[in-house]
Amino acid sequence: MTTRRKFIQLSALGASLLPFGKSFAKGHEGQKPIVLSTWNFGLQANVDAWKILSSGGRALDAVEAGARVPEGDPKETSVGLGGLPDREGKVTLDACIMDEHGNCGSVAFLEHIVHPISVARKVMEKTPHVMLVGDGALQFALANGFKKEKLLTKESEKAWKEWLKKSEYKPVANIENHDTIGIIALDAQGNLSGACTTSGMAYKMRGRVGDSPIIGAGLYVDNEIGAATSTGVGEEVIRIVGCHLVVELMRQGNSPADACRLAVERILKKNPEKAKQVQVGFLALNKNGEYGAYCLQKGFTYAVHTNDGNKLYDGVSHF
Ligand code: SD4
């Protein structure tokens, strides 16, 4: 299948976006270091991650630094501060992180903390567990020096109140929920890590947890093979344990682009009617620094930073 990607190059300082050209490649040639992030704001995330990678730093530090960028931005309405709330008006966050040794940490249904990715890293490094949720995750964060903050901005509160008028849970692909950041990197030492963080689907039921904090669903890293992350409707990703599947497909010899496509096709096969209505996108990177992406619907973008610069690509879509 021919894949076609438009891409845009970010200027060296990340200040302006310039049209750059088109790529028809099926996959992308490998190089390291390299960092990939979901969606347009991945460009900004990559800038912070690249500072670490380009000075010989560890992929784990790079993905955490990158994930913190949209988490701290009140204008991004599906990650961290300013995230759209659940249907009760509460912002609840999900995040996970995984390193080159298979260590992982995760938080879900966490409230009041701007940087859940850093709490997830603390869970990984300071506890015997992988996942903390809700109040327990909040208590752990506060005990580790994180500050309790109000995450619901005026704008997000206004959007929620507008939503309440009809109270219909019909997420529009790529619009209400398009800001989960998944970020995967290969450092100069050849080690892989990944991070994923989100406020989840806007106006979800209280207590709902998506794929993003679930190791194997929203993120998976195997330092022998590769890393993968996902975005879109988490329920569909969880059903196929998406990112673990993508990494296993790479283990079987598939390119990152093909592994992402095969995982999307698994979703399609299970429920073709549902698949028409929702967005799911996978992004993958292998041990050689080759990468690829595939999604159900048009509109999924991802950013790639290498020594050649920071570029935004359109994910190849099934529909
Ligand atoms: C979730 N996967 O909570 C997240 C939402 C998302 O792009 O990725 N939106 O289901």
Side-chain angles (χ1 to χ4, degrees), residues 49-168:
W50 188 253
K51 283 180 198 152
I52 292 167
L53 291 174
S54 60
S55 54
R58 191 176 168 203
L60 181 71
D61 295 323
V63 295
E64 182 188 7
R68 287 173 62 96
V69 174
E71 280 185 343
D73 185 343
K75 289 193 217 68
E76 296 300 348
T77 56
S78 291
V79 184
L81 182 64
L84 288 167
D86 64 17
R87 56 189 66 176
E88 296 185 17
K90 307 263 188 353
V91 181
T92 71
L93 306 176
D94 296 340
C96 74
I97 193 160
M98 191 161 189
D99 76 6
E100 72 272 27
H101 305 296
N103 297 314
C104 45
S106 159
V107 289
F109 191 42
L110 172 65
E111 293 177 80
H112 309 301
I113 302 291
V114 174
H115 291 298
I117 200 65
S118 297
V119 185
R121 182 164 177 178
K122 282 266 186 312
V123 172
M124 174 174 93
E125 292 178 342
K126 297 218 156 145
T127 79
H129 308 305
V130 165
M131 194 165 191
L132 292 179
V133 306
D135 233 22
L138 177 60
Q139 294 318 316
F140 173 76
L142 297 176
N144 279 277
F146 292 85
K147 298 265 168 310
K148 194 167 177 175
E149 295 185 48
K150 186 173 180 222
L151 302 182
L152 188 66
T153 55
K154 281 209 167 55
E155 291 73 22
S156 288
E157 190 172 8
K158 202 172 149 212
W160 167 60
K161 288 196 169 143
E162 201 45 46
W163 178 83
L164 276 179
K165 289 181 186 163
K166 284 197 182 158
S167 299
E168 277 175 353

Side-chain angles (χ1 to χ4, degrees), residues 230-250:
S230 64
T231 185
V233 176
E235 283 77 2
E236 303 312 311
V237 178
I238 293 171
R239 279 191 243 285
I240 62 155
V241 199
C243 288
H244 185 260
L245 175 61
V246 171
V247 171
E248 290 307 300
L249 287 164
M250 290 195 284

Side-chain angles (χ1 to χ4, degrees), residues 39 94 177-180 198 200-201 208 210-212 230-235:
W39 302 109
D94 296 340
N177 303 285
H178 77 287
D179 289 345
T180 289
T198 188
M201 302 301 283
R208 182 264 188 188
D211 58 324
S212 306
S230 64
T231 185
V233 176
E235 283 77 2

